[in-house]
Amino acid sequence: MTRICGMFLALLGAAAVAGAQDHGYTPADIESGGRLFQSSCAGCHGQDGAGVSGIELARGQFRRGTSDTDLIKIIQAGIPGTAMPPHNFTDAQAATVVAYLRNMATVRSGAAPNVLRGVGDAARGKALFEGKGQCATCHRVNGKGPRLAPDLSEVGATRPLPELHQALLEPNATMRAGNRFFQVVTKDGQTITGRLMNQDSFSLQMLDSKERLVSLPKSALREYGFVRTSPMPSVQDKLTLEEVDDLVGYLVTLKGLNP
């Protein structure tokens, strides 16, 4: 408990984020995060999050990182040179702790927590994912599906609700560096696009659009680099807004745990 209860010491501080983010969480996420907080952290921080002098977890002020993804990474990796060590939490576990922290004040006051808004039916969303939306033609979930596009098995734990909506409607606005496609043009004019797997000073290896592992010497390339735009099309012209909500309702259930 000594290591774990220090996990929040470096999280809180100067930069208030109230009003800067419109996050949403399921009641189950908040409840699970509360149980983890009470069992692992309340011994030092107190049930109200104010047990350590100068630290008030319920106020939602964070010294480093503002997004849920930032906080999840800090909880898991710790911050070198500070009182916060790394912790062996899964993405899903760390995400529920963040959900509880963001709602601690309202939960303790008895007010309604910041639950999900704009989320539809998960079952209908799964059908859209596998059918009309054609998401499963590119994305992999729980070991099933292609490997070229980002694996979505844990997307519900690592991406906040507004980002999921925006990623579906405006893919270029939320494209993360690790998800960018890589493109090479050989000296004989051939263009190959896919995911970069590895590179050194002399060669690079990539998974091409047909999921074949390709190794290319850089001396044979005319140009190479990351593609700035997302290969994923917007669903604006394919799905209704209600269907987008249903699809998001399915995506938020994907938290790295096989059904």
Side-chain angles (χ1 to χ4, degrees), residues 161-205:
L161 174 64
E163 191 174 330
L164 289 175
H165 271 285
Q166 189 176 26
L168 292 172
L169 299 172
E170 302 176 82
N172 288 330
T174 61
M175 185 172 61
R176 298 184 176 185
N179 292 339
R180 291 183 299 173
F181 267 31
F182 196 79
Q183 182 172 282
V184 304
V185 179
T186 64
K187 289 184 176 179
D188 60 8
Q190 182 183 11
T191 299
I192 304 173
T193 304
R195 295 187 69 82
L196 179 66
M197 306 302 290
N198 185 48
Q199 68 171 321
D200 55 32
S201 300
F202 305 102
S203 66
L204 59 83
Q205 294 75 44

Side-chain angles (χ1 to χ4, degrees), residues 200-221:
D200 55 32
S201 300
F202 305 102
S203 66
L204 59 83
Q205 294 75 44
M206 59 187 294
L207 199 65
D208 72 7
S209 59
K210 296 183 179 179
E211 297 192 46
R212 299 174 301 192
L213 185 62
V214 179
S215 182
L216 300 164
K218 289 185 175 179
S219 60
L221 303 179

Side-chain angles (χ1 to χ4, degrees), residues 81-92:
T82 72
M84 180 164 175
H87 296 86
N88 189 29
F89 285 6
T90 66
D91 286 347

Side-chain angles (χ1 to χ4, degrees), residues 55 93 112 183:
I55 300 294
Q93 288 173 325
Q183 182 172 282

Side-chain angles (χ1 to χ4, degrees), residues 22-26 29-30 68 99 103 114-117 160-162 252:
D22 184 22
H23 296 278
Y25 311 96
T26 66
D29 289 338
I30 298 168
D68 287 10
N103 287 277
N114 179 25
V115 297
L116 288 170
R117 293 178 295 274
L161 174 64
V252 297

Side-chain angles (χ1 to χ4, degrees), residues 26 116-122 161 165 242 244-246 248-250 252:
T26 66
L116 288 170
R117 293 178 295 274
V119 173
D121 182 81
L161 174 64
H165 271 285
E242 182 180 17
V244 172
D245 287 345
D246 288 340
V248 171
Y250 170 61
V252 297

